[in-house]
Amino acid sequence: MMKQFSPPSWFLPDSAATDESLYFNRRALLKAAGLATTSLALPSLSFAQPGDPLASKTNPKFQQLEPTAEKLTTSYNNFYEFSTQKQEVKELCAGVTLPPWQVEITGLAQKPLTLDLDQIKALGLEQRVYRLRCVEAWSMIVPWDGVPLAKLIQLANPTSKAKYVAFVSLEDKKLFPGQRTSYYPWPYAEGLTLPEAMHELSFLAFGCYGKELPIQNGAPLRLVVPWKYGFKSIKSIVRITLTDHQPATLWNQIQPKEYGFYANVNPAIDHPRWSQSSERVLGSWFQRRPTELFNGYPEVAPLYRGLDLKHNF
Ligand code: MTE
């Protein structure tokens, strides 16, 4: 016998649903709701949740690597806003709801902007499989879904004085238990030179494995700079600032001798407390591979022509 349908409280009959053409046209929807359409600072109307499917186009140029199992890369996380213990971050993120999110692109820009997530995604989502090498000498391979960082920076139109790009994560002591301790100079901050940020490889990820990012991997959006140690790939970004000076970064402020501003993966430059010549492949305690200069992305070498990499580590 067929079960009788009893609608849940959120059920809307077809007749009450918004016309599909309006639903898919955000501006028209805003207009229909009587809201101004000129401001870019309106909160997103779609509230994508971690794990929701994310439609991105495979970028064939970055598909050569075999990804690490998803259950490993989403349960072994460095996210100090939650915990310094990698294995407990995922559990601490379970049930966390992120606030409505916007990203400010400010500083030395001719067109400073505040965008919601859908507006950045509309620049064109693609999937790229990248290596990620942590400074702690373990590595993994992740299929990220996102947009090239350069596309976003171009929108803001940097002035000729802009030489660096600073990134800042959300600061919210209620959401992030780790920020209730003052040991770290919150919020988490990172930076790149402008040419690094404009490089084709620099990527802003909204998802991984074809789904919206889990919170523990940096939802709703994070940086991915695959030729640098993982700490440069800042999570949960709310502000991007174009500046004329090298910005202060969290790890560099705490331990400048251990965590340089450049942090390019380099087997020849050891961390003061351990060797960087090889790395443990995530998923095995025994399988190691030799560390590659720039993490196996030699195309970035021209960014550092004439720069002493030992000094600028
Ligand atoms: N971003 C923020 N905001 N907070 C952090 O603690 N940890 C960094 C980086 N981004 C971190 C962060 C470090 S040390 C690494 S190795 C990577 O995130 C880890 O990313 P994953 O958890 O997706 O593997």
Side-chain angles (χ1 to χ4, degrees):
M1 207 177 91
M2 255 177 75
K3 230 178 138 195
Q4 215 196 336
F5 175 70
S6 57
S9 55
W10 44 260
F11 177 76
L12 269 182
D14 281 328
S15 57
T18 311
D19 175 64
E20 192 177 275
S21 60
L22 280 183
Y23 176 79
F24 286 111
N25 183 338
R26 186 169 172 274
R27 280 187 182 275
L29 185 58
L30 287 170
K31 215 169 172 181
L35 296 169
T37 56
T38 45
S39 168
L40 288 171
L42 287 165
S44 175
L45 287 177
S46 71
F47 296 99
Q49 298 298 316
D52 282 356
L54 196 56
S56 64
K57 230 169 122 181
T58 301
N59 183 329
K61 200 168 162 189
F62 305 105
Q63 299 297 324
Q64 289 76 11
L65 303 161
E66 185 60 38
T68 306
E70 182 182 353
K71 67 174 191 307
L72 292 176
T73 63
T74 57
S75 59
Y76 187 80
N77 304 98
N78 273 330
F79 202 167
Y80 279 42
E81 282 87 337
F82 285 100
S83 171
T84 55
Q85 304 300 311
K86 288 185 243 313
Q87 277 96 338
E88 71 174 24
V89 171
K90 181 181 177 182
E91 202 183 315
L92 289 168
C93 290
V96 167
T97 307
L98 295 175
W101 209 279
Q102 294 183 318
V103 182
E104 188 187 4
I105 303 122
T106 183
L108 300 173
Q110 286 171 40
K111 272 204 230 153
L113 300 158
T114 299
L115 300 178
D116 66 37
L117 303 174
D118 283 349
Q119 288 169 319
I120 308 177
K121 286 175 180 168
L123 295 173
L125 284 174
E126 50 179 273
Q127 186 169 82
R128 300 178 175 195
V129 184
Y130 279 168
R131 291 186 184 285
L132 189 143
R133 166 62 154 83
C134 180
V135 73
E136 298 161 340
W138 53 267
S139 67
M140 61 183 187
I141 295 169
V142 181
W144 301 107
D145 304 276
V147 300
L149 176 63
K151 282 196 182 177
L152 183 61
I153 292 180
Q154 269 155 7
L155 273 190
N157 206 352
T159 69
S160 58
K161 288 196 178 125
K163 301 281 180 273
Y164 292 88
V165 188
F167 302 83
V168 176
S169 300
L170 178 70
E171 186 168 21
D172 185 335
K173 286 189 173 57
K174 278 200 191 119
L175 200 69
F176 297 135
Q179 288 185 346
R180 292 173 213 150
T181 70
S182 51
Y183 182 75
Y184 295 99
W186 305 113
Y188 198 101
E190 259 309 333
L192 297 172
T193 66
L194 185 59
E196 287 175 333
M198 298 304 286
H199 193 276
E200 185 195 8
L201 286 172
S202 295
F203 203 56
L204 268 182
F206 289 86
C208 56
Y209 302 88
K211 290 173 275 184
E212 295 277 345
L213 282 174
I215 295 190
Q216 62 269 29
N217 291 91
L221 85 163
R222 66 163 310 156
L223 186 65
V224 187
V225 202
W227 73 95
K228 292 178 178 283
Y229 290 120
F231 67 84
K232 300 294 288 184
S233 292
I234 178 172
K235 298 176 173 181
S236 309
I237 299 165
V238 289
R239 195 168 59 254
I240 299 176
T241 309
L242 292 148
T243 108
D244 56 2
H245 57 276
Q246 189 174 300
T249 67
L250 181 136
W251 289 107
N252 189 249
Q253 282 179 79
I254 301 171
Q255 286 285 12
K257 292 202 174 104
E258 299 194 354
Y259 308 105
F261 177 80
Y262 286 92
N264 291 320
V265 176
N266 191 333
I269 302 175
D270 286 339
H271 185 279
R273 290 182 279 135
W274 57 84
S275 162
Q276 293 292 25
S277 64
S278 71
E279 62 206 42
R280 179 174 68 83
V281 177
L282 194 63
S284 157
W285 286 103
F286 312 107
Q287 195 191 336
R288 293 192 80 87
R289 65 184 294 273
T291 301
E292 292 181 65
L293 180 61
F294 302 125
N295 205 20
Y297 295 94
E299 61 267 47
V300 298
L303 291 170
Y304 308 104
R305 216 167 262 150
L307 197 75
D308 174 358
L309 293 177
K310 273 217 154 71
H311 186 68
N312 299 281
F313 63 97

